[in-house]
Structures are given as C-alpha cells and as structure tokens.
C-alpha cells in the first residue's frame, strides 16, 4: 500500500513537471510573460550597473502592504532600497496569516527584525491606533488577536498586537446603515 502511494505521488510529480515544461513552451511560443517571470527578470535586471545607476537617481522607495510580498519581492525591494537614500515600508504582520502570493508570518517577522530604529537611517514606527472602527470592535478584535498572535509561530509582543480605539465621532446608528441615493440631486443621504 505504501509503495502504491509513493508511485501515485511520483506520477503526480512527473505530470506537474510535464505541465510546467509545457507552460514554459507555451509562453515562449506566444511571447508571453506571467507575473513570476516579471519578478525573475526584474531581479536579473537589478544585477546590471546601468539599471542600478538609473534607480539610484530616485530619492525614495515606498513599499506598501509588505506583508503580502513573497520572498522574491522582498529581495527585490530590499535591493532597490539599498540604492536610494530613503525607503519606507508599511505592513502589518498580523495580515501575513493569509499567505497571499507566498508570504508568511516568519518572512514578515524577519523583515521587521531587520528594521532597527536608528541604524542605517532606519526609523521604526508603529501605528497603534485605529481611527476606522468603533471602540467595541477594536476591543473585540484585540482580545481575539491577543489569543492568536501572542503564541508561536507569531510570538508578537502585546504592544504590537493591540490597537487603541481612536474614532472620535459617536455613532448611534446600527452597525450597518442603508444609504439612500437622492436621484434628483445625485447626493447620498445616510
């Protein structure tokens, strides 16, 4: 039975290798690139002195939602950041749990550890207040997140998990509210 399972797994890998090779041929024949190809080619371009020189003309690199970056993208952004005077990376390690395009919490933690406040011109800052959500929702999410993110594999300190509720307006309407469009004036009443 174990041998049969091994044979099935080996056959699956053979099929996947064949599919990948066919996919590569299809892209070449049709002069197409996919997203992964663009990452690989851009990474290779970063080896060229003329590309590095062109990038070094820029003063700032902004990387938003870095928790959604895969290892190749992190490497690309790191290499670009090394060529410019300033870079800003914005991300939330708690969102890395979704595993978007190959990211994971360990990768995000490693990137975060490399940003040491005061070293190499780095400034590390944390957005610790939610201005979007109601206080009750922020408190509820804080308790749930504390349970999840204070343990392995995340091991985040409580001050990186919990947010303060900063929403100033007192809303007395229900959590969901119907929006009514006034067709005469094209305005929205709510």
């Amino acid at each position: 039975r174990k041998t049969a399972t091994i044979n099935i797994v080996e056959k699956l890998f053979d099929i996947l290798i064949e599919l990948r090779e066919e996919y590569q041929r299809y892209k070449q024949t049709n002069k197409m690139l996919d997203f992964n190809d663009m990452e690989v080619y851009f990474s290779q371009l970063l080896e060229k002195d003329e590309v590095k020189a062109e990038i070094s003309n820029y003063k700032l690199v902004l990387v938003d939602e870095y928790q959604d970056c895969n290892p190749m993208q992190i490497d690309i952004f790191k290499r670009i950041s090394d060529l410019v005077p300033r870079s800003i990376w914005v991300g939330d390690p708690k969102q890395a749990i979704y595993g978007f395009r190959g990211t994971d919490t360990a990768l995000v933690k490693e990137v975060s550890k490399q940003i040491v406040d005061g070293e190499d011109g780095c400034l590390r800052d944390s957005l610790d207040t939610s201005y979007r959500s109601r206080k009750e929702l922020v408190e509820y999410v804080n308790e749930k997140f504390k349970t999840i993110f204070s343990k392995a594999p995340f091991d985040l300190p409580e001050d990186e998990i919990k947010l303060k509720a900063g929403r100033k307006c007192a809303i007395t309407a229900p959590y969901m509210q119907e929006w009514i469009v006034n067709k005469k004036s094209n305005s929205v009443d709510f």
Side-chain angles (χ1 to χ4, degrees):
R1 190 172 184 178
K2 213 175 198 181
T3 305
T5 303
I6 290 172
N7 289 338
I8 291 170
V9 170
E10 286 175 350
K11 185 65 177 164
L12 274 172
F13 273 98
D14 290 343
I15 292 169
L16 290 172
I17 289 168
E18 198 175 305
L19 282 171
R20 182 174 180 195
E21 290 169 356
E22 180 60 32
Y23 179 58
Q24 295 297 343
R25 282 191 296 274
Y26 177 82
K27 289 189 304 183
Q28 287 174 346
T29 301
N30 293 287
K31 298 180 180 359
M32 298 172 75
L33 297 174
D34 65 16
F35 192 75
N36 293 335
D37 295 329
M38 289 187 277
E39 291 173 336
V40 169
Y41 291 140
F42 190 78
S43 181
Q44 291 170 353
L45 280 172
L46 286 173
E47 300 295 323
K48 298 182 178 285
D49 290 335
E50 61 269 24
V51 173
K52 291 179 188 177
E54 180 64 31
I55 291 171
S56 67
N57 289 323
Y58 291 88
K59 295 182 181 356
L60 174 67
V61 171
L62 297 171
V63 181
D64 192 19
E65 303 287 355
Y66 82 83
Q67 79 277 350
D68 293 337
C69 295
N70 64 37
M72 171 75 80
Q73 293 164 341
I74 293 288
D75 179 63
I76 288 169
F77 292 137
K78 174 80 172 87
R79 289 164 58 201
I80 293 171
S81 293
D82 289 343
L83 298 172
V84 299
R86 188 165 179 231
S87 67
I88 298 174
W89 294 48
V90 178
D92 182 356
K94 296 184 295 289
Q95 290 185 36
I97 62 172
Y98 303 116
F100 182 73
R101 290 197 54 80
T103 192
D104 64 34
T105 54
L107 177 65
V108 174
K109 278 177 69 173
E110 283 305 310
V111 170
S112 295
K113 274 199 259 180
Q114 291 179 24
I115 303 168
V116 179
D117 204 13
E119 285 187 19
D120 295 325
C122 289
L123 171 65
R124 186 179 173 125
D125 198 4
S126 185
L127 303 176
D128 63 353
T129 306
S130 171
Y131 295 98
R132 286 186 182 171
S133 301
R134 292 176 167 203
K135 181 181 178 198
E136 298 84 5
L137 181 59
V138 172
E139 290 171 351
Y140 175 79
V141 170
N142 279 342
E143 287 310 307
K144 294 298 176 193
F145 277 11
K146 183 179 170 189
T147 303
I148 296 167
F149 291 106
S150 61
K151 301 179 208 160
F154 310 105
D155 297 317
L156 292 175
E158 190 169 324
D159 65 322
E160 289 183 27
I161 298 171
K162 288 189 165 191
L163 292 175
K164 296 178 212 146
R167 190 170 180 168
K168 298 287 184 212
C169 62
I171 297 177
T172 56
Y175 290 115
M176 295 203 57
Q177 187 171 17
E178 183 178 345
W179 289 18
I180 302 167
V181 177
N182 181 335
K183 292 184 187 208
K184 290 180 186 172
S185 67
N186 290 328
S187 66
V188 178
D189 299 319
F190 53 100

